[in-house]
Amino acid sequence: MKKYENFIRCLVLSCGISLALATPALSESTAQYTPEQLTDLAAAWLEQTLDVQATDLEIQLSALDSRIGSKDCAHQPTFNLPNNYNPRQTTVQISCSAPLSWQLFIPVRLTEWLEVVVSRQNITPGTMLTADMLELQRRERRLVRGLIVQDPTQIIGSKNKRSLSVGQVISLQELCLVCRGDVVTIQINQQGLAVSTTGIAQHDGSLGDTVQVRNQQSGRSISTEVVGVNQVRVKF
């Protein structure tokens, strides 16, 4: 009977040794990361990866649940975004390969902001815009439509083709930088030679539009591109 007891005792001890060997030991270089620390690291990684300051991007992370507990990692945790991720809502993957492989996912909301020119007052169609009628406001990018204006000086002196209400975002499609019948400056740049003359606009046009202008000196109609308020450039 004692032989069997000794055998069982030996078997238990040997199993204990095997189990101990199968359990990975924490090395001196292994660090523990709490859910809060992992959330902070993910936020810092996102800010650097997405260049938050350059794009005026607001990041909102859903903090990891504290019930997950601390995670061991023998190296710096790895952070990744999905390929072709949604620019408004996505997830950050946090992973580690040693001493045990694990991965976590943090939901993220991304909001991009823009400084855009808006109307400070109600403006009737055909009004020449002045500096006191305009101001810059911060707006969410996804809510802004059209060819926005981010520099008020770019459109001072232009005229609006439609009514503008207080706080309305101004787009170039709503303006004529060159209006029919206005005297405009014609810029001619060719082979390093730059000259200018004046003409009469035959059509309304916004930035980048092609308009016909009648040269006041020659009376000839020429094709030009709108480059600014009452400014056109000859197209060759």
Side-chain angles (χ1 to χ4, degrees):
M1 188 68 178
K2 288 185 177 180
K3 289 183 179 181
Y4 289 109
E5 290 177 355
N6 292 334
F7 173 75
I8 293 172
R9 186 180 297 109
C10 181
L11 182 62
V12 170
L13 289 173
S14 64
C15 288
I17 293 172
S18 299
L19 288 172
L21 291 174
T23 303
L26 297 181
S27 67
E28 293 182 0
S29 61
T30 299
Q32 281 195 334
Y33 296 89
T34 65
E36 183 180 1
Q37 288 174 323
L38 290 172
T39 301
D40 291 342
L41 287 171
W45 177 82
L46 268 178
E47 289 181 3
Q48 182 177 6
T49 302
L50 301 179
D51 199 1
V52 171
Q53 293 183 347
T55 57
D56 195 4
L57 192 66
E58 180 182 337
I59 298 175
Q60 295 175 301
L61 281 81
S62 298
L64 287 170
D65 194 328
S66 60
R67 291 173 295 181
I68 293 173
S70 296
K71 294 292 183 180
D72 299 320
C73 193
H75 55 80
Q76 184 75 10
T78 302
F79 302 90
N80 285 294
L81 284 170
N83 293 329
N84 302 318
Y85 66 89
N86 187 317
R88 289 175 50 197
Q89 197 163 358
T90 185
T91 56
V92 176
Q93 180 194 55
I94 311 174
S95 59
C96 181
S97 59
L100 291 175
S101 179
W102 55 264
Q103 61 180 5
L104 299 170
F105 294 90
I106 301 182
V108 181
R109 179 179 173 81
L110 304 172
T111 305
E112 184 180 356
W113 297 89
L114 291 174
E115 287 277 338
V116 296
V117 177
V118 303
S119 174
R120 295 183 63 184
Q121 61 190 63
N122 294 325
I123 304 175
T124 57
T127 301
M128 182 178 292
L129 302 182
T130 57
D132 61 318
M133 298 177 182
L134 311 170
E135 67 179 356
L136 283 170
Q137 287 187 6
R138 194 165 175 257
R139 296 293 177 87
E140 192 174 341
R141 179 69 183 90
R142 69 184 180 88
L143 301 178
V144 178
R145 299 288 184 270
L147 298 174
I148 60 172
V149 182
Q150 294 185 280
D151 180 6
T153 61
Q154 184 183 21
I155 59 173
I156 291 174
S158 65
K159 297 176 183 177
N160 58 308
K161 295 185 286 187
R162 303 181 183 87
S163 296
L164 298 173
S165 57
V166 176
Q168 181 176 338
V169 176
I170 297 176
S171 67
L172 288 173
Q173 295 100 317
E174 297 165 334
L175 307 175
C176 65
L177 274 63
V178 167
C179 302
R180 182 179 180 181
D182 284 354
V183 176
V184 299
T185 299
I186 305 171
Q187 302 173 8
I188 305 171
N189 299 296
Q190 190 176 30
Q191 297 179 349
L193 179 65
V195 296
S196 63
T197 185
T198 57
I200 305 296
Q202 305 299 295
H203 309 281
D204 291 346
S206 190
L207 191 67
D209 289 347
T210 298
V211 296
Q212 293 294 313
V213 175
R214 181 169 54 82
N215 189 310
Q216 284 188 306
Q217 292 183 345
S218 65
R220 187 166 59 93
S221 182
I222 54 179
S223 179
T224 66
E225 177 187 358
V226 178
V227 294
V229 176
N230 294 329
Q231 300 282 327
V232 297
R233 181 170 54 214
V234 175
K235 299 183 70 174
F236 292 100

